[in-house]
Amino acid sequence: MNPEFAQIIVAAAVAAIMVLADAVPGLAAQTPLRLGYLDHPGSALCIVAAAHGHFGEEGLRVKLVRFTDSASGLAALETGAIDAGAFSVGTALTEIAHGKQLRIIAGGGTPTASDPLADLDETAQQKLDRAGIVVLVPANRPAAEKGVIIGLTAALIRAHRTLRQQPAPARRATLRKLSHGEAIPDLSFDPNPDYWRMLRIWQGLGLQYAAMPRDFLANHVYEEIYCDALDRQLLGPMDTVLHDLFSKAVCTPNCCPANSGRLFTLQGGSTQ
Amino acid sequence: MRRIIAALLLSTVMASAAVAADLPKLRVGYVPEPAHGLYFVAKEKGYFKEEGVDVELFQFASVSEGMAALKAEKLDVGTFGTTAPLLFISKGSDFTFFGGMMIGGQAIVARPDRLAELAGKDLKVFKGKKIGLVKLSTGDVIFKGALKKAGIDWKKDITFTEFGSAAAVSEAVKKGAVDAGLLWPPHFSLAEKNSGLKVAHYLEEFYPKYTCCRIVAPTARLNADREPYRRFLTALIRAYRFYKTNPEETVQIYTKSLKIDEDIVRNETYVNKVAESNPDPLRKGILDFWQHIRDAGYIPQDYPIDKYINTDIYKQALDAVIKKNPKDKVYQDMLAFYKKHN
């Protein structure tokens, strides 16, 4: 996309900013992180994180920027008009394969089939997977900003927990806001960027070209950020939602005498 | 006369520096575990220099930071466990296993009042128990592998509870949140010393000679010039001989270099012989480890890991050392071990 055109789209989108910042003392002076999101129920983790103060809990001031299609959102991400964005995984992976310098740091909502036999239809399943949401940042962000990206991911993990723990009517109300009156699709939320799921979609789209290095996709899925963000949750109370996330995450185990984490237990609380 | 001696000394020093400067360099990353001490023996005894390689050691506080440095090619060699390199390779990173640093080393700890019910050589004693562990740690992978080999369906019969660190596992065992915990050096010794826990079993009892920390290199670098890597392994083979034949001095070197309690190093290395510092690549062990990771369901797709293991460089290094020392028992034992495990 023409960068100028992308900027015009972003300017229009900025006008539609929904939620500005978390009301946390000390964050007012901070330059807000501009988080784009696709106007789709699959982006709910971003909305929930803002509405429930999870960005502030991670020390971030975040400005949400709405986009009506993923392509323009990804273009805005590339030009630096936004700092991070939650967009369709199929579009994002295609853009990455075409050379866009982006890294996936978290997952979001993925449509699921209401028909229990639908997952036998591989083509239909792949279509649903591609419509899921992932959160991305530019690949060239300075290392100094790693803490901010971890904080952003940690806030999305908190949002996932909030969404999962909401009573069904409240959850439906959250998703309805992003459905614009249309029927709320069945969605499965998971903040894990999950390299192996990305690989399935990547292979399904035929994006691994012969000349690409074997680790091309792995270099664009920043699982280390997710693992660090998940580790942060060890500092708080444990519950079944976090337990599920820990059980599914494939993170490099830590090893060393200096390493000391908090007790991870369903009974809750740390003893250190 | 004094001037002549001084000039001679100066020229000798300069010549040594020039030789060191000309040696091929290897930047080697490691994490501070007791069994990683062969690097320091080789360094302290001058084996690296004698073999013609200039090794610079870099300690990392975490495996993930070390792997990131290796991937960015800021290191030529990495010693960051077995799991981490396997995960990276399975995602397409081009690393090659070419040596080893530690075999064994994992322990099951329990409160003293629970030891009796966990006694014996039959893994069935763990049925119905809740075991604390750090997911994907060597203890996690190997214990589940041992259970499978013993015909125990751990997914059905045992509850595993995952913790974020070894310290958290110790704490959970101490508090009775779990029946036992899987720990690695020096954490089980620290748990005994600081938390009053006891080692119920070493995993070696159930699963002999399993792989722990492996030595890996970026494949392109390794293949571009294997000679520095061969020299590096030669020095480690000589360091292994020193470790086998000079226990007390080795303890001192390990303690000083890794800043771990001397008693812990001595007990783990020579008294209880929990782990062995051994440079053998242990190809079969790596393949078994990969299979256990797959069996545990951590990685959904298989990968041709065997293509990323090079045993030739180690064998060449070992053969050369044996050629110079044909009657040395330690080296002969290393050869027999190599033949069995590769």
Side-chain angles (χ1 to χ4, degrees), chain B residues 20-27 52-56 76 221 228-229:
Chain B
D22 289 343
L23 293 179
K25 289 187 192 310
L26 287 181
R27 298 161 300 173
V53 59
D54 184 9
V55 168
E56 198 173 356
D76 306 300
R221 273 177 197 265
Y229 290 95

Side-chain angles (χ1 to χ4, degrees), chain A residues 133-221:
Chain A
I133 295 293
V134 286
V135 182
L136 307 101
V137 295
N140 54 3
R141 288 188 77 111
E145 291 183 20
K146 188 176 172 186
V148 172
I149 301 171
I150 293 171
L152 175 63
T153 309
L156 296 172
I157 292 170
R158 288 175 183 269
H160 172 71
R161 182 163 57 173
T162 298
L163 194 64
R164 281 274 302 271
Q165 291 174 342
Q166 275 182 342
R171 190 166 187 265
R172 274 199 299 277
T174 303
L175 298 177
R176 193 174 296 120
K177 282 180 196 166
L178 287 161
S179 299
H180 304 290
E182 293 183 16
I184 305 168
D186 290 327
L187 288 163
S188 158
F189 284 91
D190 188 351
N192 189 343
D194 191 354
Y195 166 79
W196 298 101
R197 191 169 69 84
M198 293 300 117
L199 182 63
R200 278 199 308 277
I201 300 169
W202 181 262
Q203 289 172 337
L205 287 166
L207 295 175
Q208 183 69 28
Y209 307 130
M212 277 179 181
R214 277 196 309 270
D215 58 353
F216 185 89
L217 175 62
N219 290 339
H220 291 83
V221 181

Side-chain angles (χ1 to χ4, degrees), chain B residues 162-224:
Chain B
E162 293 155 359
F163 292 86
S165 71
V169 172
S170 292
E171 197 65 28
V173 176
K174 185 181 172 186
K175 293 217 147 216
V178 292
D179 300 306
L182 291 165
L183 291 175
W184 58 93
H187 294 286
F188 53 79
S189 298
L190 292 170
E192 287 192 314
K193 196 168 183 174
N194 302 333
S195 303
L197 304 181
K198 292 285 178 195
V199 170
H201 295 281
Y202 294 111
L203 292 192
E204 185 85 10
E205 298 165 34
F206 308 114
Y207 195 131
K209 304 297 176 198
Y210 57 86
T211 170
C212 186
C213 304
R214 301 292 87 199
I215 303 179
V216 295
T219 305
R221 273 177 197 265
L222 188 76
N223 289 338

Side-chain angles (χ1 to χ4, degrees), chain B residues 10-41:
Chain B
L10 184 62
S11 64
T12 306
V13 168
M14 287 175 71
S16 303
V19 168
D22 289 343
L23 293 179
K25 289 187 192 310
L26 287 181
R27 298 161 300 173
V28 177
Y30 70 98
V31 287
E33 286 192 9
H36 286 54
L38 284 190
Y39 286 149
F40 301 98
V41 172

Side-chain angles (χ1 to χ4, degrees), chain A residues 21-211:
Chain A
D22 294 286
V24 173
L27 296 179
Q30 198 182 76
T31 304
L33 183 140
R34 298 158 301 175
L35 173 61
Y37 71 96
L38 181 66
D39 192 11
H40 178 274
S43 301
L45 295 185
C46 302
I47 307 301
V48 171
H52 289 261
H54 297 317
F55 293 126
E57 288 167 344
E58 294 296 334
L60 298 176
R61 189 160 169 253
V62 170
K63 188 182 277 188
L64 288 182
V65 185
R66 184 170 67 91
F67 287 85
T68 53
D69 69 285
S70 291
S72 49
L74 290 165
L77 200 51
E78 196 185 25
T79 61
I82 55 174
D83 303 300
F87 302 114
S88 135
V89 62
T91 310
L93 289 178
T94 304
E95 295 287 336
I96 287 169
H98 291 160
K100 286 258 169 47
Q101 295 297 308
L102 302 170
R103 289 178 106 175
I104 296 168
I105 58 166
T110 302
T112 56
S114 48
D115 177 359
L117 295 177
D119 57 357
L120 297 175
D121 181 348
E122 199 174 325
T123 308
Q125 187 59 46
Q126 284 181 355
K127 197 176 168 190
L128 290 171
D129 284 344
R130 288 170 203 166
I133 295 293
V134 286
V135 182
L136 307 101
V137 295
N140 54 3
R141 288 188 77 111
E145 291 183 20
K146 188 176 172 186
V148 172
I149 301 171
I150 293 171
L152 175 63
T153 309
L156 296 172
I157 292 170
R158 288 175 183 269
H160 172 71
R161 182 163 57 173
T162 298
L163 194 64
R164 281 274 302 271
Q165 291 174 342
Q166 275 182 342
R171 190 166 187 265
R172 274 199 299 277
T174 303
L175 298 177
R176 193 174 296 120
K177 282 180 196 166
L178 287 161
S179 299
H180 304 290
E182 293 183 16
I184 305 168
D186 290 327
L187 288 163
S188 158
F189 284 91
D190 188 351
N192 189 343
D194 191 354
Y195 166 79
W196 298 101
R197 191 169 69 84
M198 293 300 117
L199 182 63
R200 278 199 308 277
I201 300 169
W202 181 262
Q203 289 172 337
L205 287 166
L207 295 175
Q208 183 69 28
Y209 307 130

